[in-house]
Every structure is written in C-alpha cells, then in structure tokens.
Amino acid sequence: MSALTDLIYAGSNAVAGLAEKAVNDAIAQYGADCPVAFPDTAYFFPTIYAATGVKVTKLGDLPACVGVLKSLISNKDDLGEALNAGLATAVGAEILEGLKYVGGAKPYENEAGIGFVPDPVIRSLGVPLVTGDIPGVAVVIGKANEDSQLAMVVKEYQTRGLLTFLVGDVIDQAAAAGVKMGLDFRVIPLGHDVTAVIHVVTVAIRAALIFGAIPPGDLAALLKYTKERVPAFVNTFGPLNEVVVSAGAGAIALGFPVIVDIDLGDLQVPGALVSVTNHVDTVAKSLELRNIKVKAKKIDICMGFSSAYEGEIIRKKDMHAEFYSGANPTCELVVMRDLDEIEDKKLTVIGPDIDGEPPVELPLATYVEVAGKKMQVDFEPVIERKIHHWFNYIEGVMHTGQRNLIRVRISKEAYEKGLRLKDLAEVIYFEVMDEFSSVVDKCQVTLITDKAEVERILREEAMPRYTARDDRLASLTDESVDTFYTCTLCQSFAPSHACVVTPERLGLCGAVSWLDAKATKELTPAGPCQPIEKKGLIDARTGAYEEVNRVVKEVTHGALEKVTLYSILEDPMTSCGCFECICGIMPEAGGVIVVNREYAGLTPTGMTFGELASMTGGGVQTPGFMGHGRHFIASKKFIAAEGGVQRIVWMPKELKDDVAERLNKTAKELYGIDNFTDMICDETIAVEPDAVLQFLQEKGHPALSLPPIM
Amino acid sequence: MKPTVIAVAGKGGTGKTTICGLIIQHLAESGKGPILAVDADPNSNLNEVLGVEVEMTLGDIREKLKFQDSIADELPPNMTKQEYTEFMFGDALIEGDDFDLLVMGRTQGPGCYCYINGVLKAQIDKYQSGYRYLVVDNEAGLEHISRGILPHVDILLLVSDASRRGVQAAGRAAEMVREQNMNPKMMKLIVNRAPGGKLDEGVMEEIKKQGLDLLGVLPNDEAIYRYDAEGRPSSTVPKDNPVRQALRETLAKIDL
C-alpha cells in the first residue's frame, strides 16, 4: 500500500473512532432523543444530508451515520477509494463539531473562530461570488513556521479579494501578524480544532443545495457541483498528521486541490496534492491549480487597491483629511458629454490639495465627464454609484454616502506615503475605463476643492441632474417600456435559474434594477442581461408573455418552460438562492407572509427564513413560494395576480419598518388604505397563526375579505 | 480582530458610570487604546464623566429615519436606509484620540427599536474591529446586550454600593445574565463607595449568599463627588486619587 493511502486511512480510521466514541458518550449522557442541530440552517448536518439524504435531528440518528462513515473506509490500496475515506473524515468531523452544539450550546461564543456558518451568510455571499467580486475561496489550515510567511499569503489573498477561511493555530498567527479579520475583510477564522474545517466544507455543500438545487442523497451530482462551481482550494502550513491528510483527501474528493508547504516528494498527486515549499509561490500556484483568474489591477498609486479594503475604518486620530457634507459643500457627479467636448485622461485638481496640518477639511466635487458612442444618460448613475466602492478600495481611504451627502477620509498613513487628490482622480479614470470600457471611450476627471466652484456645480449642475434622475426613475413602469431583461448572473452557481427584470420588479437579489440590466447589456453585450421584447401577451393579470417564456426557456437551457411576472401561484419566477426576502402563503389568513434573510425566528407558517428558503432556490419553481428583493415589496406589481400588496399579512418588524413608507404609499394609491403597515402583523405582536388571525381581524385587514388565495 | 468587550452594569446611584469612565481613562492611559466607549444607559451621562460633548445619538438617527416625513431634510430618494444610516453613523460617533464614544440614546416606547437596531447592529459590527476594547455603560436590564445590538460580552462587571440591598440588586442582575444565556467569559462584582475601602461582614456574607465573585472594593471618595458637583469630568481626577488607585489594582487582577 502506498504511503499516501496509508496516511489517509490512518486519519479516517482515527476520526471514525473518535466520532463513534463521541456519539456513544453523548447518547449515554443526554439520551438518544436529545435534539442536535447546527444553528440557523435548514440543511441539518449538511454533509450527511447532501451525501445521503438523511436528516439528522437527534442524537439517536447519529449511530447510523457513523455506520455509513465506516463503510466509506475500505482500506483498499486505491487512491479513489482512499479519497472516499477522506469524505468519511468530513462526515466524522461534522459529527464531532455537531455534537458541540448539543442542547443549544454555543461552543464558539468564546472562541476566536466563528464555527458553523449560518445559511443567511451563504446566501449573502452568492452575489459577490457570481460576479467574481470574490474570485475564489482559500482554506488555510495548520501552523506556520513563521507568522510573517502566513500573513504574507493571507494578505495576498485579501488583496486579490479572495475569501479566506482559517483553521488551527494560523488564526492566532494571522492575528499576531496584524491581518484584519472578519467577513468585511474576507478573512474568516473558523476554529482551532482541525474538525472546524468542516464549517467551510458545509458552505460548499450548502451552496450546491441552495444554488444548485442538487437533490439530497445524490453524492455524484454533489461532487460534480463542488468541483465545477465552487472555486475553493486548501493551503496547509506546517507538518501534516494523518487527520489533516485524510481531511485533505476529502477536499480533493470535492474537487479542491490541496497545496502543502512541506516537500511530499513522490507522494504528490498532480493537480490535486502539490508541494509548494517556498511561500512566495503559494498564492500563484494555488490560483493556477484551481484555475482562478484574478483581474490584474495595476493602478499606479502608492497605496493598496482591493475590494478587501472596503471595510476599513479610519478614526479621527488616524485621519489626515476629510471631505464631509456636514462641514463643507460636496458632491459626486458623472455626466455624459459629446466625444469632442472632453479630452481623454485629463485629470485636474482645482483648488488646494490636502497638504497641511491635519485635520485638513475641504469641500469636494468629484466631477467625472464621460463620452462614448454607446454611452447613454441612464448609465450616469450606474457609474456614479461605483465611486463609493472605488474610493473604499484604496487602502487608507474611507468613503460613505453618495451624491451630495458624502464623507471621505484620507488616513495619515496614506498622506505620508504620498497619496494626493490626483491619485483619487487616477483611480476613477482607471476604473471607469476598466469597468465601463464598452460604453465609455473618453473620460475626464476633475476634483474640485475650491468652495465657490463646488457650490456652483452643486447648484447649477448636480442638484438639477439628481432631481431629473429621480423623476425618471419614478416614472418608469412596466407599461412605459417595451423591453424587459433577463439576468442570468447567478447561473455560474444556479444553472437553471433566470430572473426577468422589469422596471417594477428588480432582480431578486435586490442588486440589479432595470436600469442596471439595461446598462449591463450595453457593457457586456453577450453577458447575463439579454433583452426580452415585450410582446405576445398571454395574460395581463399574471403578467404572462409568449416572448418572456421563449427567452426564459432558452437561457435556462430548457429547465423552465414558462414564468409569469406577477403571480406567486401560477408559474412563479424562480430564484437562485441569494434572495433578500422570501414570500410564502398563509392560507388561513388568505394572505402572504414576507420574511427577510436577517430574521432568524419562526414565522406564522411554522418555518424560519432558512426553511422557507430551502423550499425554493436553485431555479426550482415552487408555487406558493417566491424569493425577491426588499424593494419589490412596495411595488404595484407585487403578486398583482393574487391581489397585490393587500395580501401581505405578516412581516418581521424590522422589514416592515424598512418598507413602511413606500408600502403605505402603494396601498394608498391602489386601494385608498391609510397606514396599511399598521394592519400587518409582526413578531412583536404575534407569530402563532391564531393570534395573527385575531390581530388581522381586529385591524380589519383587507386580505380577510378577499376571495381565498388558493 | 474582535475587541475585548467589557460591560459595566449596576443600578442607578452606585457610581457605575463614573467607574466606567475611570476604566476607559485607565485603558487609554495604559496605551491600550483605541477604545470604543458606548453609553447604553439613557439615564446616565457617560460623556460628562469623560468630558466630551454629545451632538447626536443613535436614537436621533432612528428618529430621523422614523419621522422622516415630518422633517425638512427628508431622506435622499436614491439612498436606502442602510446607506443613509452608514453615512449618519459617522456623525453620531464622537471621536477622541484614544477613545471614541457612541451614545445609544433614549428608547421611544415598546417595539420601535426593531428596524433601526438591525441597521445599527450592522454598523457597530463593522466599526468594532477598529478597536482593542469596547467598554459599555449599561442600564440595569442590559437591554442592548440581551437584544444582540451590542456584541457578545467578554467581561461583565457588576457594580454595587456597599450595602446589602446593593449587593442583592447585583445578585439579581447576575441571575438575569444567567437566565438570558449571555455567557460572558467572566462576571465579577466591584463594590463601590465602601467606607474606608473596607467591607463589613454582613455585606461579605450577602455577597457569598448571592453567589457573586468579588473582584475589588473601591473606597468612598470626596474628590470624585466634588468633581461631579462642579461639573468637571470625574474621569480626570488625579492619578493618585484613592478610587483610581484601588480600581487600578482591581483591574490588574484581570489583566486590564
């Protein structure tokens, strides 16, 4: 038997033994009926559920799982068989970690790691992963010989925008070396035990269930999905023991290459298990092995530039300069010009730069003029909104707000290293030409700190333009346009899903409006947003169009035959899995409940957001369930076929307050109801269906007098 | 990296807010900044103890969001409430050299905190990683912590005066912490305003009876009273003030 398979089996057998003992001990202590669950997930023990279809809910379910686990360890001298044993290690790790949560315990509360990653976090990661904003996922495990070597690798991933999970002593080493951690910084410590690695494995596995609609129990489909669609890989630091090797085998079975920093000699498996002993090469080799392409950004400024700097906070003490609407006039404006009106790459600063003693406080107009044969006025705000992100991507620059309400800070460190206003202009120019190259041929950036001039721009150009844009947005309706758009951005994860984006129904992630879709079509003509001519009306009530059906069938490769735009019951639109909200029927009230991703409690349907969400997603059409964005709730087209927003009977308080103003306006316009949201129940009033009904009756909720919804 | 979260709790009149201010001052002077001070007790004025002015509280942002229709400068139509809150959060943060202060502000009736709590929590989560310590002055019910707006507490310090009733109240607070599963890494009692810096046997007995873990005893002190009466920030009493000295020794026991 080869030394490698030997090691894998030794690790798998060790973990199997530990898991079996732990299960027996737990049953002896708590009893077989004691419930056991990971927090905030609808997928039970995700690895076991996805691989076998078994729903673990109590300790008594686990001995059978241990049996399955052991059956995966054949001890045969065959690499394929040994990789299966690696999966057994994953199952064992899941059981060992799951047992930590027995009786509602919070094992990670006082740990540096976060442990199990809740479903809502995974759903929120969907969009950045499909857009390539997060180009890949690195799992870093072990203990490095030197903190600095580890930090170099992790910071490199950070700079390139990857999401990094840390397991083991590397957590403390990264912290000691000053690596910024947290979801915002895209470095997530999981836990110190090697078994904590399962928490990233279940992220990949739940991605397959949530976005890929892989049926639980279909192990082959699961492995295919993770291999083809989850761009993850593993880096180990320090000496390997058999448990790490067998966990690594599990990673390889899922399609994730493992890069180790010790010399494995001829134990290496090309493409899957590779030694890179010089840490300088670790990142490049890892990305190459997983085929992750990172956009090479080469902006000539003295500070770092990456999406990983977006969460950076600059305290007043560390601040050199500030541009703040509360203290000085400010604005950000992108305007379209004719090609002969502007000069490409003309970067100008008008007024004083940020030199001087801190705090330097100045007015600021960020004035960006763009021209291009394909440029349209509608794209101005799309580009303008990106300024916020671009500034934040600069190390040492913090940006909040937009338009005429902004706060921009530049750190002392950035100033001392030489960052000046010209560099900000440089960044904007570079990014406009990089991201919007298909519509922008020329770009000219002017940063103005001269107070009188900023005030003039604000008064004469910016404010009138903002108002005009708002008016245009408010006047856009499904009736007033002749084209809708598909959005198949999520197909890299959810291959059988497509959104249909209309002016009154934005993409269900909440991130793609009709204007965004229109701009996307121009920016990447063969990209995810394709036009749908509004023709072939079948049913105006449900919003069914022959052309919509035809295009949807085409872009989902036949997975979907037809969808309606306005119905939750008749061919409802599908979802990928990263929706902000989910809407479900509450038949006894003749209405619907809407629940947002952030709400962790139960709803009157007896299900949590996660459980409701697991009913749909992955492009599956489930009448009675629909994922959508927050914004859509106040739309006049919200389940219009079933009667519209007056069917909404229950929402979490937080969501209700968020949408109240616009929802009340819609209800007033459609039905003449004042303060409609006062009639909608929430968890602070009641969750139990009878009590919800009683509240609705007291308030005279309109849904009660409508015909039954089903 | 997660900061160490220190919560100070106790009923009104125990000197809890002063102690909170002195802890912040101590950490700042020991070079353990930056610190995020959070005033989560609408009945106390941590800012006065620290000697800083409050212009806006998180509660004010909430009002702005809630009653936006009735105020002149309504929300910009292009901004979501989350974006607007992110922008306003900077206004509510009172920034110093070694510490920044965030004032939670008053609650307005039941239930109405839900939405704003959600967006504020997101901001607090985002900001907290920039600090080494979070020091929270809590009202007796520890509401902001139990509702999850403020992060998980590492060190919970219960403050009592040197009376049996004071210790009993601290005991009830400890009970509540256990009932609500707040699970701080450590929960300790500090007894304040002890005459001569000593506790008599009756009070010691009560501490034992309540199952509290006594960390330290601070003496009654006139200077602090005088600072307070004169409207001077009491966290700036001289370093050799007996209360400050006793607090330093007390905090040293838990490596602060």
Side-chain angles (χ1 to χ4, degrees):
Chain A
M1 196 177 284
S2 87
L4 178 62
T5 50
D6 261 358
L7 269 174
I8 295 172
Y9 286 126
S12 302
N13 284 312
V15 171
L18 285 174
E20 183 164 34
K21 180 172 184 311
V23 167
N24 291 339
D25 288 354
I27 290 175
Q29 189 180 350
Y30 301 101
D33 288 332
C34 177
V36 59
F38 286 109
D40 220 352
T41 182
Y43 302 96
F44 311 95
F45 278 40
T47 314
I48 293 170
Y49 181 55
T52 67
V54 172
K55 299 173 178 177
V56 173
T57 57
K58 55 186 197 302
L59 291 176
D61 297 331
L62 288 172
C65 300
V66 173
V68 173
L69 180 172
K70 285 177 160 175
S71 74
L72 285 167
I73 311 173
S74 70
N75 294 313
K76 283 186 197 150
D77 186 15
D78 172 275
L79 190 60
E81 295 267 338
L83 294 183
N84 274 339
L87 290 176
T89 302
V91 172
E94 180 166 87
I95 292 172
L96 288 166
E97 284 290 311
L99 288 173
K100 292 182 179 175
Y101 290 90
V102 169
K106 297 176 181 167
Y108 283 92
E109 199 160 65
N110 288 324
E111 239 265 34
I114 64 160
F116 189 79
V117 180
D119 288 357
V121 173
I122 299 176
R123 292 180 188 276
S124 73
L125 290 173
V127 174
L129 278 166
V130 296
T131 55
D133 183 33
I134 299 176
V137 177
V139 182
V140 175
I141 182 166
K143 181 177 184 176
N145 281 332
E146 284 176 44
D147 294 1
S148 60
Q149 300 280 305
L150 170 80
M152 177 184 74
V153 169
V154 175
K155 282 182 176 172
E156 182 70 22
Y157 289 139
Q158 211 168 22
T159 305
R160 291 167 184 246
L162 275 82
L163 186 63
T164 305
F165 290 92
L166 304 177
V167 178
D169 290 334
V170 288
I171 293 175
D172 311 304
Q173 293 185 304
V179 173
K180 292 175 181 169
M181 291 192 226
L183 196 53
D184 276 340
F185 293 105
R186 300 201 178 159
V187 177
I188 302 177
L190 286 177
H192 284 85
D193 293 345
V194 67
T195 47
V197 74
I198 194 64
H199 298 310
V200 58
V201 173
T202 75
V203 169
I205 286 173
R206 278 177 288 161
L209 296 171
I210 292 173
F211 303 116
I214 301 298
D218 191 344
L219 181 60
L222 172 73
L223 296 181
K224 184 168 187 289
Y225 184 95
T226 54
K227 184 177 170 62
E228 290 176 1
R229 299 187 185 272
V230 181
F233 59 86
V234 180
N235 288 165
T236 70
F237 279 80
L240 300 174
N241 61 33
E242 65 262 24
V243 174
V244 173
V245 172
S246 70
I252 293 168
L254 289 164
F256 309 151
V258 177
I259 296 88
V260 304
D261 71 346
I262 56 167
D263 189 0
L264 287 180
D266 53 9
L267 287 187
Q268 294 186 61
V269 182
L273 179 62
V274 176
S275 290
V276 178
T277 49
N278 187 346
H279 292 113
V280 173
D281 302 325
T282 304
V283 172
K285 191 71 190 169
S286 299
L287 297 181
E288 184 195 313
L289 275 172
R290 195 66 183 108
N291 202 16
I292 295 171
K293 291 189 179 62
V294 181
K295 227 190 322 182
K297 298 203 166 169
K298 288 204 188 84
I299 300 182
D300 189 19
I301 57 171
C302 51
M303 300 300 285
F305 186 84
S306 153
S307 49
Y309 293 110
E310 224 181 342
E312 189 185 21
I313 302 294
I314 296 168
R315 296 185 63 238
K316 195 173 193 173
K317 190 187 180 187
D318 306 320
M319 168 189 104
H320 176 81
E322 183 173 63
F323 311 95
Y324 169 45
S325 312
N328 283 298
T330 58
C331 66
E332 285 171 354
L333 187 65
V334 172
V335 290
M336 184 174 105
R337 297 280 186 231
D338 285 335
L339 277 163
D340 54 6
E341 281 181 301
I342 59 170
E343 183 186 328
D344 188 40
K345 210 178 176 188
K346 185 176 171 195
L347 310 178
T348 318
V349 175
I350 299 174
D353 209 319
I354 57 171
D355 297 283
E357 281 303 302
V360 175
E361 294 181 356
L362 288 169
L364 179 68
T366 303
Y367 190 74
V368 183
E369 293 159 283
V370 292
K373 283 189 275 299
K374 288 181 172 171
M375 181 65 198
Q376 297 180 24
V377 175
D378 275 348
F379 304 158
E380 287 177 356
V382 178
I383 301 175
E384 195 177 287
R385 276 209 310 266
K386 297 292 285 189
I387 295 175
H388 167 72
H389 298 285
W390 296 335
F391 276 9
N392 270 327
Y393 288 174
I394 308 171
E395 186 187 8
V397 177
M398 177 170 101
H399 183 290
T400 57
Q402 49 176 303
R403 287 192 177 174
N404 58 327
L405 284 178
I406 58 164
R407 181 197 292 271
V408 184
R409 285 183 168 184
I410 296 173
S411 73
K412 284 179 181 164
E413 187 196 353
Y415 172 78
E416 277 152 20
K417 286 191 180 166
L419 191 85
R420 295 296 182 271
L421 289 176
K422 191 85 183 288
D423 299 309
L424 300 188
E426 186 87 40
V427 164
I428 293 174
Y429 175 79
F430 184 94
E431 287 293 311
V432 168
M433 297 312 279
D434 183 52
E435 275 194 44
F436 297 97
S437 59
S438 51
V439 292
V440 176
D441 302 327
K442 280 181 173 182
C443 173
Q444 175 175 310
V445 183
T446 314
L447 294 183
I448 302 124
T449 57
D450 178 80
K451 192 172 180 185
E453 180 61 6
V454 174
E455 277 169 345
R456 187 200 63 76
I457 291 172
L458 197 54
R459 189 176 60 242
E460 291 176 15
E461 298 191 54
M463 293 315 283
R465 237 172 165 104
Y466 299 152
T467 310
R469 283 180 199 165
D470 293 340
D471 292 346
R472 158 119 173 104
L473 209 57
S475 70
L476 278 177
T477 61
D478 289 5
E479 286 77 21
S480 72
V481 301
D482 54 16
T483 308
F484 301 146
Y485 291 90
T486 63
C487 179
T488 54
L489 203 59
C490 294
Q491 281 198 350
S492 57
F493 275 106
S496 51
H497 166 69
C499 272
V500 178
V501 180
T502 77
E504 290 176 81
R505 174 165 196 164
L506 74 176
L508 56 85
C509 58
V512 179
S513 73
W514 184 82
L515 281 180
D516 294 326
K518 186 173 173 221
T520 304
K521 166 66 187 156
E522 290 301 326
L523 295 170
T524 39
C529 295
Q530 292 302 317
I532 304 173
E533 265 186 90
K534 195 176 79 177
K535 63 179 192 188
L537 181 71
I538 302 167
D539 185 349
R541 183 183 62 91
T542 57
Y545 291 86
E546 280 169 16
E547 187 64 8
V548 169
N549 290 341
R550 188 188 70 76
V551 175
V552 163
K553 186 174 174 185
E554 188 182 301
V555 299
T556 60
H557 315 287
L560 270 179
E561 295 277 328
K562 44 188 180 172
V563 295
T564 61
L565 303 179
Y566 310 132
S567 175
I568 186 176
L569 289 171
E570 299 163 52
D571 307 321
M573 212 179 285
T574 61
S575 36
C576 57
C578 35
F579 35 75
E580 292 182 306
C581 301
I582 187 156
C583 175
I585 307 266
M586 183 178 173
E588 58 269 54
V592 297
I593 63 125
V594 183
V595 57
N596 54 308
R597 193 156 68 193
E598 295 78 9
Y599 178 73
L602 274 182
T603 69
T605 59
M607 291 190 269
T608 62
F609 171 83
E611 287 160 348
L612 283 164
S614 69
M615 305 291 293
T616 172
V620 180
Q621 208 162 34
T622 322
F625 296 93
M626 185 175 68
H628 54 83
R630 277 176 181 249
H631 196 84
F632 184 56
I633 296 169
S635 167
K636 287 178 189 159
K637 297 296 193 290
F638 181 82
I639 58 168
E642 283 78 31
V645 296
Q646 59 179 330
R647 289 281 189 186
I648 303 175
V649 294
W650 191 94
M651 282 195 268
K653 175 90 171 132
E654 187 242 314
L655 180 64
K656 189 164 87 173
D657 287 352
D658 185 29
V659 300
E661 192 198 356
R662 288 183 306 114
L663 182 55
N664 284 337
K665 198 164 153 235
T666 304
K668 177 78 180 164
E669 276 182 50
L670 290 180
Y671 324 111
I673 300 173
D674 285 307
N675 299 319
F676 174 56
T677 47
D678 291 349
M679 300 176 173
I680 299 176
C681 195
D682 64 55
E683 81 282 9
T684 67
I685 303 163
V687 176
E688 202 268 320
D690 286 343
V692 172
L693 268 179
Q694 195 190 338
F695 172 82
L696 298 174
Q697 274 153 5
E698 279 165 21
K699 294 286 174 182
H701 193 290
L704 297 176
S705 48
L706 292 174
I709 190 164
M710 322 177 56
Chain B
M1 205 54 198
K2 289 188 230 171
T4 302
V5 180
I6 305 170
V8 183
K11 66 187 182 80
T14 56
K16 159 199 67 130
T17 299
T18 304
I19 290 176
C20 199
L22 289 172
I23 292 174
I24 292 161
Q25 191 74 15
H26 166 74
L27 290 172
E29 285 176 6
S30 332
K32 291 184 177 170
I35 302 141
L36 179 60
V38 181
D39 181 352
D41 182 354
N43 295 314
S44 77
N45 296 298
L46 181 60
N47 66 302
E48 287 182 7
V49 173
L50 293 169
V52 295
E53 294 281 324
V54 177
E55 282 175 23
M56 184 187 278
T57 71
L58 295 189
D60 294 336
I61 298 182
R62 175 176 53 80
E63 294 310 300
K64 216 160 171 134
L65 291 175
K66 193 166 174 68
F67 302 116
Q68 52 166 297
D69 291 339
S70 59
I71 58 170
D73 54 332
E74 61 180 54
L75 290 191
N78 59 313
M79 263 189 188
T80 65
K81 286 182 183 174
Q82 280 88 343
E83 286 167 333
Y84 187 68
T85 306
E86 182 184 17
F87 174 69
M88 295 294 288
F89 197 88
D91 281 7
L93 192 70
I94 303 146
E95 298 178 283
D97 280 352
D98 296 314
F99 68 85
D100 298 340
L101 172 65
L102 205 53
V103 181
M104 302 301 288
R106 277 160 220 290
T107 49
Q108 294 275 328
C112 68
Y113 249 55
C114 268
Y115 166 67
I116 187 66
N117 284 349
V119 284
L120 290 178
K121 179 181 176 355
Q123 286 305 312
I124 291 171
D125 284 351
K126 180 179 158 193
Y127 268 77
Q128 64 163 333
S129 58
Y131 299 90
R132 285 173 68 187
Y133 289 91
L134 237 78
V135 182
V136 188
D137 182 14
N138 291 279
E139 35 68 76
L142 293 155
E143 195 190 353
H144 287 102
I145 292 171
S146 66
R147 285 190 179 211
I149 305 152
L150 293 170
H152 174 68
V153 175
D154 298 303
I155 301 172
L156 183 58
L157 300 175
L158 299 169
V159 179
S160 160
D161 58 19
S163 71
R164 288 184 87 108
R165 281 169 318 286
V167 173
Q168 283 158 7
R172 279 194 296 277
E175 188 56 34
M176 192 193 63
V177 168
R178 282 188 283 266
E179 274 169 12
Q180 301 198 357
N181 284 324
M182 288 186 200
N183 294 331
K185 273 186 205 161
M186 63 168 80
M187 178 160 67
K188 304 273 185 188
L189 175 71
I190 294 179
V191 177
N192 191 23
R193 298 207 187 118
K198 296 255 187 303
L199 292 184
D200 62 30
E201 271 178 32
V203 176
M204 287 300 282
E205 212 171 88
E206 189 63 41
I207 292 172
K208 208 172 270 175
K209 194 172 148 199
Q210 295 290 338
L212 294 168
D213 184 0
L214 181 66
L215 180 68
V217 181
L218 309 180
N220 202 3
D221 179 68
E222 208 180 316
I224 288 186
Y225 168 76
R226 186 145 309 133
Y227 265 65
D228 190 51
E230 291 165 7
R232 295 158 69 188
S234 47
S235 69
T236 58
V237 291
K239 268 192 162 172
D240 59 359
N241 172 283
V243 174
R244 287 197 66 172
Q245 280 184 11
L247 184 67
R248 255 198 310 279
E249 287 158 20
T250 301
L251 294 176
K253 292 183 206 163
I254 50 172
D255 299 322
L256 287 177

